[in-house]
Amino acid sequence: MTHVSHPPVPATSGLMDVATIREAFPALDRRHGDQAVAYFDGPGGTQVPRVVGEAMLDYLYHHNANTHWHYPSSAETDAILADARETFTALLGGTAREVVFGANMTTLTFHVARGLGREWGPGDEIVVTDLDHHANVAPWRALADERGVTIRSVPFHPEDGTLDWERFAEAVTPRTRLVAVGAASNALGTVNDLPRAAALAREAGALLFVDAVHGAAHGTFDRVALGADLIACSPYKFYGPHLGVLSGDEALLTRIRIPRLDPAPADAPERIETGTQNHEAIAGAAAAVRWLASLAPDESGRPLRSRLQDVMHGLHERGQVLCTALWAGLSGCPGVRLYGPPPTGERTPTVGFTVEGVSSARVAEALADRGVFVSHGDFYAATVVERLGLGDDGLVRAGAACYTTMAEVERLIAGVESLSRE
């Protein structure tokens, strides 16, 4: 392979250096054979910093109780959950009373979709996209069978992985009740134009549901300013535990005819939370958000949201450098095809690719032998894989995270090149 000189990952002003960040992750001590493991599977779930595990253990060992009772550990649990709701407003916007927790984003979306669907029927329409993870498609498609609503799906351009906005505009009509769109593609790294989607929904008087599971790993959101009614994410994609988080307009959360138990709280946000929640995971998820904000230490007492925005911007800059190097290196490997938008434009540092004549599973296995962990398949973005004509084999997916180094990127490229020349 011709050696390509890559620029170093930028030492973004005020942002903790990568070497120091890596010290926070016990998983990075793992070895596979004689190689340190390089984790590129972040789009399917990142590794967890030590402080997140500690927050979860602290809750279980010292505060474990159910909510709303008049004894100390129950009151402490109430305070931990209230703090977590407030913490997530720094990532998603809105208010603490608009933050809902659940098992995962998929379960929350099915729950909300079923509640909203009780208001809809034949003649009503929902718009989804072919670019989305099926967690933001299947819950809405289920309403076609359950309620007789019509589903309209917006295609994307296979050549660059971007949505067809002309078709999007045509799909949204006065009959549209909800527009469901992803902030970013977990398979291709495409960043969608959410203000444009919001404008289309608003013009039609429709609700906007944003899947930010992939997007929230790479930036903050202001749900209210955006004009989104509901936005969901998964903390395990940004250094937290397995959990789902939903931010929704309080008036909407209050009126959704959600399946719920009558003795349960009747007010938002708890009315949307079915059963006892995973309190330790909620504590850990809040710790993950605070840990991210701590990567840009600030002694001036700025709000959590402001610090978090700076960190996400800095990590985005670093990710773009890594993505550009990965794209360039893989482009030079024989038989490798890359999918999605090139790194010259706005995208996440998540790259999907195939190697001619080699299954995606075989590519993942070969890279794992070198201590490089990548994902393969359709990543629940099955329609993306289908539209790209990749059948059951799907893609290989490599994503850079806050702990990814340029040396790891070069290891990945070398592994793919070696396999492509066999």
Side-chain angles (χ1 to χ4, degrees), residues 64-410:
N64 193 27
N66 219 315
T67 56
H68 305 320
W69 285 327
H70 294 286
Y71 56 87
S73 55
S74 180
E76 290 158 9
T77 293
D78 290 339
I80 287 167
L81 299 188
D83 173 75
R85 294 187 205 279
E86 188 65 46
T87 297
F88 268 91
T89 67
L91 183 70
L92 302 176
T95 70
R97 289 182 57 82
E98 297 175 316
V99 174
V100 176
F101 297 113
N104 48 62
M105 178 270 183
T106 303
T107 300
L108 281 171
T109 307
F110 267 112
H111 194 47
V112 168
R114 181 160 286 118
L116 288 171
R118 291 177 170 182
E119 301 178 1
W120 302 330
D124 294 323
E125 299 178 354
I126 297 172
V127 175
V128 299
T129 89
D130 289 349
L131 193 57
D132 270 65
H133 187 292
H134 275 219
N136 200 25
V137 177
W140 309 114
R141 286 197 177 279
L143 297 181
D145 293 330
E146 296 173 8
R147 304 296 302 174
V149 303
T150 297
I151 307 297
R152 296 185 179 275
S153 191
V154 177
F156 67 93
H157 301 292
E159 60 273 17
D160 65 1
T162 60
L163 285 171
D164 185 331
W165 286 97
E166 184 176 336
R167 296 283 294 277
F168 206 139
E170 292 171 355
V172 181
T173 75
R175 293 181 177 272
T176 303
R177 298 295 171 258
L178 180 137
V179 173
V181 64
S185 167
N186 73 311
L188 303 180
T190 310
V191 173
N192 291 323
D193 188 344
L194 293 182
R196 192 171 183 178
L200 289 170
R202 187 163 52 248
E203 185 177 354
L207 299 173
L208 177 66
F209 186 103
V210 176
D211 171 5
V213 170
H214 188 65
H218 304 286
T220 61
F221 294 84
D222 186 334
R223 179 183 53 76
V224 177
L226 174 62
D229 300 277
L230 299 154
I231 184 168
C233 68
S234 299
Y236 68 95
K237 302 299 179 77
F238 47 89
Y239 318 108
H242 291 91
L243 187 73
V245 182
L246 174 77
S247 172
D249 175 76
E250 184 176 357
L252 178 61
L253 295 179
T254 299
R255 75 169 175 81
I256 295 176
R257 296 169 58 192
I258 211 81
R260 54 177 296 276
L261 307 180
D262 286 340
D267 298 324
E270 289 181 289
R271 70 183 301 271
I272 308 296
E273 297 172 343
T274 303
T276 301
Q277 296 301 298
N278 188 339
H279 300 156
E280 61 270 26
I282 294 170
V289 175
R290 291 192 294 270
W291 176 80
L292 272 168
S294 76
L295 299 187
D298 182 87
E299 298 179 357
S300 63
R302 285 189 304 151
L304 178 64
R305 179 171 175 82
S306 176
R307 288 157 37 218
L308 188 62
Q309 287 173 323
D310 285 351
V311 168
M312 289 301 208
H313 178 73
L315 292 177
H316 174 72
E317 288 186 348
R318 290 181 179 179
Q320 287 295 95
V321 173
L322 294 168
C323 183
T324 299
L326 180 58
W327 189 279
L330 292 177
S331 296
C333 298
V336 170
R337 181 175 178 184
L338 294 154
Y339 299 86
T344 51
E346 186 71 10
R347 64 162 8 262
T348 70
T350 297
V351 176
F353 65 95
T354 55
V355 180
E356 186 178 3
V358 186
S359 72
S360 64
R362 173 62 189 136
V363 174
E365 289 170 356
L367 289 174
D369 289 342
R370 292 169 169 259
V372 177
F373 290 5
V374 299
S375 313
H376 69 92
D378 63 29
F379 325 112
Y380 289 86
T383 306
V384 171
V385 170
E386 178 185 340
R387 297 289 185 266
L388 293 175
L390 297 176
D392 295 334
D393 188 44
L395 295 157
V396 182
R397 180 180 66 182
C402 72
Y403 42 70
T404 305
T405 67
M406 189 63 74
E408 290 176 329
V409 169
E410 291 171 348

